[in-house]
Amino acid sequence: MKLATYKDGSRDGQLVVVSRDLSQAHYATGIATRLQQALDDWNFVSPQLQDLYVTLNQGKARHAFAFEPRQCMAPLPRAYQWADGSAYLNHVELVRKARGAEVPASFYTDPLMYQGGSDDFLGPCDDAWFGSEAWGIDFEAEVAVITGDVAMGASPEQALEGVRLLMLANDWSLRNLIPAELAKGFGFFQSKPATAFSPVAVTPDELGEAWAGGRVHLTLQSSWNERRVGLCEAGTEMSFHFGQLIAHIAKTRNVRAGSIVGSGTVSNQDWSHGYSCIAEKRAIETIEDGAPKTEFMRFGDTIRIEMKGRDGLSLFGAIDQRVAGPEDLAPPAEPDEPGEDSAPAPA
């Protein structure tokens, strides 16, 4: 099934079930009002959501309405945990080679991860606001999962069974702030602002054979200012699958329902596939020509991240964002009066 969270003026929004083709939606009122609520009692709630999903796809849902991605918050607008990996070692190799650094041997046996901020995520079509272009604004196109409870000490195989939902992520990075932070020896902080996620999160069965071995074997598309820059294969070169990433977290702690785990920037050794972040493009330019040529993002730039299934249809909907600057800040607008084009209130 496919699930989304609609904006309603609250912090956590309203849970909606979305049709397979992303054309229709239906509030999950009466089953669960928020996605976290469903995750907390998944075995009881998910069959009821699945029944509504089937009814919606059959065109029999009484209060269905047209699905609008711009009304979406992140599927989980805030989460108990957001841990992002770097599972595509080609990305690590390129970035380190560009600055003349070796990849430590441990990177090939032990996943590289960082703990991101999880109290505030961006919706798929929300503007991404930054204080300065000098910060080195960069997108990062990734795949992510939302987990159920995973016990401390779980094996990768056991951890993989804890995957409840999959979605796409744009893990924004401020590249020019990173070096000084890493030099402190304590990791990312200001250089990793709020992450954006796709309009819908989907259960693994929606991917069919494309979900295999804890990896999504589909192409991740990135378009910067409406120009296609990345057609990267997400499955074949993912060095650590999601079960391994989750088990890495669970080595010393329990992983609780509603944790989000990211894959890191999707990257391929064949450079003809393009790139899923500007830093990788700049690394390639440095390796080939001695210096980067591609600039980071400017205010007004746009980024679209999407993945299509083997039927050619958008699987998660698209992350479609604009980079905003200080001049875009304005007092919050008064809520619009409901109109004919508005989604109906929860039934």
Side-chain angles (χ1 to χ4, degrees), residues 166-333:
L166 295 101
M167 53 188 178
L168 303 181
N170 182 9
D171 181 38
W172 289 101
S173 290
L174 302 174
R175 300 295 181 185
N176 293 338
L177 301 185
I178 289 176
E181 288 201 317
L182 294 185
K184 295 178 181 179
F186 226 48
F188 302 118
F189 199 81
Q190 291 178 336
S191 55
K192 284 293 187 177
T195 302
F197 293 95
S198 53
V200 301
V202 310
T203 49
D205 60 293
E206 287 291 326
L207 279 69
E209 295 180 355
W211 174 246
R215 300 171 174 88
V216 178
H217 295 268
L218 292 170
T219 304
L220 186 61
Q221 306 178 19
S222 300
S223 297
W224 177 13
N225 291 334
E226 300 184 353
R227 184 173 69 89
R228 185 71 51 76
V229 296
L231 283 170
C232 297
E233 299 303 321
T236 54
E237 295 181 53
M238 188 179 184
S239 302
F240 300 101
H241 64 67
F242 277 110
Q244 291 170 299
L245 295 179
I246 298 168
H248 181 79
I249 304 171
K251 180 176 180 178
T252 60
R253 67 184 82 172
N254 293 313
V255 179
R256 292 308 188 191
S259 293
I260 303 175
V261 182
S263 67
T265 305
V266 177
S267 180
N268 296 150
Q269 290 183 347
D270 183 350
W271 295 351
S272 69
H273 288 285
Y275 52 93
S276 298
C277 72
I278 301 169
E280 188 163 306
K281 173 64 172 174
R282 288 167 58 89
I284 292 171
E285 292 169 344
T286 300
I287 293 167
E288 290 186 327
D289 305 318
K293 301 175 183 176
T294 303
E295 298 293 331
F296 289 117
M297 300 181 82
R298 302 289 188 186
F299 298 147
D301 280 7
T302 60
I303 179 63
R304 182 181 177 91
I305 299 168
E306 190 171 19
M307 180 177 278
K308 295 182 179 180
R310 292 177 178 171
D311 58 3
L313 298 178
S314 183
L315 187 57
F316 305 95
I319 297 172
D320 195 354
Q321 295 185 276
R322 183 179 72 96
V323 176
E327 68 277 6
D328 294 293
L329 282 179

Side-chain angles (χ1 to χ4, degrees), residues 5-8 68-73 124-125 343:
T5 295
Y6 255 38
K7 298 175 181 177
D8 68 351
E68 175 50 66
R70 292 194 172 275
Q71 291 297 321
C72 289
M73 305 173 79
C125 302

Side-chain angles (χ1 to χ4, degrees), residues 25-79:
H26 194 291
Y27 284 104
T29 311
I31 302 173
T33 57
R34 304 181 312 278
L35 181 54
Q36 183 62 51
Q37 182 184 348
L39 292 163
D40 285 339
D41 200 6
W42 187 254
N43 289 340
F44 177 72
V45 174
S46 64
Q48 299 175 64
L49 294 172
Q50 179 67 34
D51 288 344
L52 177 55
Y53 181 64
V54 171
T55 302
L56 183 62
N57 284 318
Q58 292 173 342
K60 298 179 180 179
R62 291 181 56 196
H63 300 290
F65 53 88
F67 178 61
E68 175 50 66
R70 292 194 172 275
Q71 291 297 321
C72 289
M73 305 173 79
L76 265 182
R78 50 181 176 168

